[in-house]
Amino acid sequence: MSATITTVRESAPALPEPRGPGRRTGAVLALARFEARELLLQVPILVFLLLYVGFTTARLMFQDGMSDYPVLNTVDRGTQTAPLLLAIALLVCTNAAALRSRKHGTVQQFDVMAMEPWRRVLAHALSAVPFAALTAVVVAAEFTREALKPGAIGHGSVAELAVGPLVVLMAGVTGVLLARLVPTSFAPILFVIGAYLLMVLASDAVESDDPRVGWLSPMVLSGFSGGDPVPSDLLGRPAAWHALYLLGLCAVLTCAALLLSGGRTRAVKAAVVLALAVTATGAIGQLLKDTAALEAARKTASTTPRKVQSCTEYDGSTYCSFPEWKGVRDDWAAVVERLRSAAGGAAEARLTVRQRIDISGGIEADATLTPSATPGEVTVGTRWGGNRVPEFAVGAATVLVAGTEGATTEGMCDARAVTIMWLVLGTDPTPAATFRNVRLDDSTTGSGQVLAPTNGLGLTAHQSAVVGELLARPHAEVTALVEKHWAELTSARTSTAEAAKLLGVAVPQGVESCQE
């Protein structure tokens, strides 16, 4: 009998050993991978993910000339908006995944499983991580492509680049938390509406007298309205503290979902304390910004930029810029040299090209720069490439011809306007297209306003006609005449009709209207 019992005991299967922490962690990660695959198959996530990637790709492929000189402190912030749609889709779908057992009436069956409810909730929260990682890959690819352009200006911020992925992660975790707080499918919709209102209020706070409060919102884009960029040190964005704050919020939301699901282990409690500490540190770091010093620096850069700029000299002219734009000075010098060549060497004035910004109406707000009153000084903005090149050429040619930028404020119903436009267009590879693009009315005939970094140049119909005639003539022939008659062509006493005679083109018929 005893031998039989011993044989039975030896042949019986061994009982499974208790699972240790490593096996429990592996089970959570396996469930998280499964849930992530299920999320990827959801129509909202799949559609918005494809739209996000497609939109980013199209934006990089179809760009204008100014995109050849991207200002990287605006590129990094530009990556934060597009992931929002993916974040909303992820919030809705993680919420639905966390409510799946309730929807199908299988909640009770989980009671007989070895995995605790809070670990299943943790797996749902971790299922959002691959989508945040994918967002980070797209953001990094977008920024890297812009940063590798030869004309890239300044530098970006890793913390600004992290905002998009962190918002996506936060959205996924929030969907799981809502499933524990309000187990209904309407909760995500109400939350999105509330979050939108919160961001609007945060935007108002950023534009108010105390903008620091607005940084408690996950995303802060208001206050930067798409105007001309400014140096990075004038932005006043506590990006690193904000990224830390978002990371802490993700952890706090995850811990809240675990606590609501019965997670009371030492590890969870320690994670709660650490998450709260990180969030508080990030929030306090955002609020400790020295606004007085920042406002003083902004005022200096706006009113007396020479105090914070460095300069380089090329061929007798001086080019001054903020440090991040140092690499663009060669391009400015090339435009000035081209203008001089169109004058046949007659334009000998020494120029000082100075970069200027106007932040009196707010950072990166649309503003018109006032003409410089300093003789020989030419204004250039913080955007370059595309239409900004001929606009700068108009400003530089105005100073070469009239001596100051302010000469256009009194109007130029004389030969000087014709001379300025010849300098701008005479050596341009596509003069007709450039003439059209640099005018407000997108035309090459009739009266019109020509754009410049400061005051534009008004052209009468007669002046436009003479310029058109000059562009049809051989370049060398016109250049020789401009050099020969430079003194008359740069005099306010020479009329447009006299300029046409000096340059050998037909004199426009009729009386020139200087009130156009």
Side-chain angles (χ1 to χ4, degrees):
M1 177 66 71
S2 61
T4 303
I5 294 174
T6 302
T7 303
V8 172
R9 287 176 177 174
E10 292 177 351
S11 60
L15 294 174
E17 298 179 1
R19 294 186 176 183
R23 295 190 177 184
R24 290 196 293 268
T25 301
V28 171
L29 294 178
L31 181 57
R33 288 194 296 270
F34 170 80
E35 292 294 346
R37 287 195 298 269
E38 288 295 306
L39 287 174
L40 187 59
L41 298 177
Q42 301 301 309
V43 173
I45 288 183
L46 187 60
V47 169
F48 285 114
L49 181 60
L50 292 176
L51 285 176
Y52 170 44
V53 175
F55 170 76
T56 303
T57 303
R59 186 169 58 180
L60 294 177
M61 291 179 61
F62 303 101
Q63 297 179 326
D64 58 15
M66 282 190 292
S67 299
D68 295 334
Y69 297 84
V71 180
L72 299 183
N73 69 39
T74 64
V75 174
D76 56 10
R77 286 175 284 144
T79 63
Q80 298 176 7
T81 306
L84 277 178
L85 290 178
L86 176 60
I88 294 174
L90 187 62
L91 185 150
V92 173
C93 291
T94 53
N95 181 266
L99 292 175
R100 188 190 306 124
S101 58
R102 179 182 294 273
K103 177 180 178 181
H104 296 290
T106 59
V107 176
Q108 294 78 8
Q109 298 180 18
F110 284 119
D111 294 337
V112 300
M113 299 183 67
M115 183 180 290
E116 299 94 322
W118 69 269
R119 293 186 188 275
R120 292 195 298 273
V121 170
L122 177 60
H124 280 293
L126 292 176
S127 68
V129 173
F131 297 94
L134 182 58
T135 304
V137 170
V138 177
V139 166
E142 180 181 2
F143 181 80
T144 301
R145 187 181 189 278
E146 297 297 290
L148 292 179
K149 290 181 177 180
I153 298 169
H155 55 83
S157 167
V158 175
E160 294 282 13
L161 296 173
V163 171
L166 287 175
V167 167
V168 171
L169 177 61
M170 184 185 300
V173 173
T174 302
V176 177
L177 176 60
L178 289 176
R180 304 303 303 172
L181 288 173
V182 188
T184 173
S185 58
F186 293 102
I189 299 175
L190 297 177
F191 178 83
V192 169
I193 296 174
Y196 173 76
L197 296 176
L198 175 64
M199 291 183 64
V200 170
L201 294 175
S203 300
D204 293 338
V206 168
E207 296 174 352
S208 67
D209 295 333
D210 188 7
R212 297 174 297 175
V213 179
W215 284 95
L216 298 179
S217 170
M219 295 186 67
V220 181
L221 296 176
S222 187
F224 305 91
S225 57
D228 288 341
V230 299
S232 300
D233 56 352
L234 301 182
L235 290 174
R237 291 174 66 91
W241 291 113
H242 188 63
L244 182 66
Y245 169 71
L246 292 182
L247 183 62
L249 276 183
C250 291
V252 167
L253 296 175
T254 302
C255 291
L258 299 182
L259 291 175
L260 290 174
S261 304
R264 298 293 190 274
T265 64
R266 290 182 179 178
V268 173
K269 294 178 181 179
V272 171
V273 174
L274 180 61
L276 290 174
V278 170
T279 305
T281 301
I284 294 173
Q286 294 177 126
L287 301 178
L288 293 179
K289 185 174 59 175
D290 187 356
T291 56
L294 179 62
E295 289 302 321
R298 289 175 174 177
K299 183 178 180 181
T300 298
S302 183
T303 58
T304 54
R306 61 178 58 88
K307 293 182 179 180
V308 290
Q309 290 180 344
S310 61
C311 301
T312 306
E313 187 169 326
Y314 296 99
D315 296 329
S317 293
T318 305
Y319 300 85
C320 304
S321 70
F322 296 104
E324 292 173 90
W325 278 263
K326 183 178 180 179
V328 195
R329 296 173 191 170
D330 292 342
D331 298 273
W332 301 342
V335 174
V336 172
E337 182 60 29
R338 178 166 63 83
L339 297 177
R340 293 185 188 277
S341 69
E348 298 177 353
R350 294 171 60 91
L351 301 182
T352 298
V353 176
R354 185 171 302 282
Q355 192 173 48
R356 294 170 57 203
I357 57 175
D358 182 2
I359 54 179
S360 58
I363 290 294
E364 295 183 349
D366 290 329
T368 301
L369 297 172
T370 57
S372 173
T374 304
E377 184 168 278
V378 182
T379 296
V380 64
T382 53
R383 290 193 184 276
W384 188 250
N387 212 48
R388 295 299 180 267
V389 177
E391 290 174 13
F392 167 71
V394 171
T398 299
V399 177
L400 285 174
V401 171
T404 63
E405 292 179 334
T408 58
T409 58
E410 300 175 358
M412 286 187 176
C413 190
D414 51 64
R416 292 177 298 171
V418 173
T419 308
I420 289 171
M421 294 311 301
W422 165 252
L423 297 185
V424 173
L425 304 172
T427 56
D428 192 276
T430 57
T434 300
F435 192 21
R436 184 180 299 107
N437 292 335
V438 84
R439 287 177 48 139
L440 277 175
D441 57 357
D442 296 327
S443 174
T444 59
T445 60
S447 61
Q449 186 75 11
V450 178
L451 299 172
T454 57
N455 281 359
L457 172 66
L459 290 181
T460 65
H462 282 55
Q463 290 168 337
S464 296
V466 173
V467 171
E469 292 283 343
L470 290 176
L471 296 179
R473 296 284 299 279
H475 174 269
E477 180 180 326
V478 178
T479 300
L481 291 172
V482 169
E483 182 177 17
K484 179 180 179 181
H485 302 289
W486 181 256
E488 297 95 324
L489 293 173
T490 57
S491 172
R493 293 189 295 270
T494 305
S495 66
T496 302
E498 293 170 336
K501 292 179 181 179
L502 292 173
L503 296 173
V505 297
V507 177
Q509 299 298 316
V511 178
E512 183 176 18
S513 174
C514 296
Q515 305 301 323
E516 296 176 88

